[in-house]
Amino acid sequence: MRPVLEIGGTHVTAALADPATASVTRRVRRPLDARGTAEQILGAVVRCAGELDAPAGQAWGVAVPGPFDHAEGIARFRGVGKFDDLYGVDVRAALLDGIRPRPAQVVFLNDAHAFLLGEWRWGAARGHHRCVGITLGTGIGSAFAVGGDVRHDGPGVPPQGRVDLVTAGGRPLEDSVSRRAILARYGAGADGALDVSDIADRARAGERRARDVLDGAFAMLGAVLAPFLRQFDATSLVVGGAMAASWDLLRPALRAGLGDTPVTLRVAALGQDAALVGAAAHASAAH
């Protein structure tokens, strides 16, 4: 079993994960304020990791969103609406110094890459040599992999392997497909009373406006992804993240946007465990 962390915009999860069996145990999940100070954010992560009471001398795998220098463990968040106070902070050093018992090493990878690696090893992308993973939540995460090796460039791979850097209609894709974009399109107020899951519930109840907003967002995502998937020769597209809970609504619209793109479309099989398993596999390979 390998100790792992998944750091998200609203929570941090610590667990023991076995990349050989995809089993996850002793899970600790705590809230995290991504708009807090560096001290508050790192304090929350360290406390969560400490509650796991992992064995001493282990290499930890940490799944964290970008922009982040995963090789050096340095945060590069700026102007993305989360973790801004961490910019330039050596997160690896902070975790090595803060987690007890002290880790032997801390190995980072992008959370979307961890998600796809987990799904490729044991989940919905298993058996597919060329696959793509998309995570839909606060923003859009993406990963393009060949035989479990994540690609950052090459035919069919967007800049830096990041779909969120692609434009749609002359605007960043996340202006159309993201939590904030969907809430804004629906006309939800800034009071936080509504979330995407609430809009999905209204769509299921027959509200036309709610259904149109979701259909428009996910169909656009499919249309944007289609040429990349074809050029990459992907045979599998796996979708995860918070919005994947509305798969009954997401899948038809996404499939319509993809058109006749020859790709198997599936929701994540491992759910919230995918990134944890992927992080464990990455740490095991690196240590």
Side-chain angles (χ1 to χ4, degrees):
M1 302 295 284
R2 178 77 59 179
V4 292
L5 285 166
E6 181 187 8
I7 302 174
T10 60
H11 71 277
V12 55
T13 301
L16 293 179
D18 186 350
T21 63
S23 62
V24 177
T25 61
R26 293 168 61 180
R27 188 191 320 267
V28 180
R29 182 182 172 100
R30 296 291 180 261
L32 181 68
D33 181 5
R35 296 181 181 274
T37 66
E39 184 179 48
Q40 291 169 335
I41 294 168
L42 293 174
V45 173
V46 166
R47 286 192 297 274
C48 183
E51 289 184 55
L52 184 64
D53 193 26
Q58 293 283 303
W60 286 64
V62 182
V64 61
F68 193 95
D69 185 337
H70 296 89
E72 298 299 325
I74 308 294
R76 297 299 180 197
F77 304 102
R78 176 169 284 176
V80 295
K82 58 184 178 182
F83 302 127
D84 284 356
D85 204 54
L86 283 179
Y87 185 83
V89 171
D90 188 336
V91 179
R92 172 178 286 128
L95 297 186
L96 284 171
D97 290 344
I99 296 176
R100 292 292 179 270
R102 182 183 173 90
Q105 182 55 280
V106 177
V107 181
F108 298 88
L109 78 164
N110 179 273
D111 56 350
H113 297 175
F115 161 77
L116 182 57
L117 182 56
E119 290 291 333
W120 175 76
R121 291 178 68 95
W122 287 104
R126 191 174 188 182
H128 289 268
H129 186 61
R130 305 182 72 90
C131 52
V132 175
I134 299 292
T135 55
L136 300 174
T138 306
I140 304 173
S142 58
F144 292 69
V146 179
D149 178 29
V150 174
R151 301 296 172 88
H152 301 277
D153 51 34
V157 181
Q160 302 175 42
R162 292 174 54 186
V163 169
D164 64 300
L165 297 180
V166 176
T167 58
R171 299 178 61 84
L173 181 59
E174 287 191 348
D175 283 358
S176 300
V177 189
S178 64
R179 177 180 179 273
R180 62 174 173 79
I182 290 173
L183 292 177
R185 183 73 179 272
Y186 184 75
D191 56 5
L194 279 181
D195 209 335
V196 175
S197 59
D198 300 304
I199 298 174
D201 287 340
R202 295 183 181 189
R204 294 186 188 96
E207 185 185 298
R208 186 72 260 171
R209 181 163 64 108
R211 187 62 183 259
D212 287 346
V213 166
L214 296 177
D215 283 353
F218 299 135
M220 175 177 285
L221 175 62
V224 169
L225 288 175
F228 291 104
L229 295 171
R230 292 182 180 184
Q231 193 174 9
F232 189 66
D233 288 329
T235 59
S236 174
L237 172 62
V238 183
V239 181
M243 292 189 200
S246 301
W247 186 242
D248 57 319
L249 301 172
L250 194 163
R251 187 190 187 284
L254 182 57
R255 184 73 260 181
L258 289 169
D260 60 358
T261 304
V263 65
T264 299
L265 178 59
R266 293 178 178 169
V267 69
L270 301 183
Q272 295 180 350
D273 288 349
L276 300 172
V277 172
H282 181 71
S284 295
H287 186 75

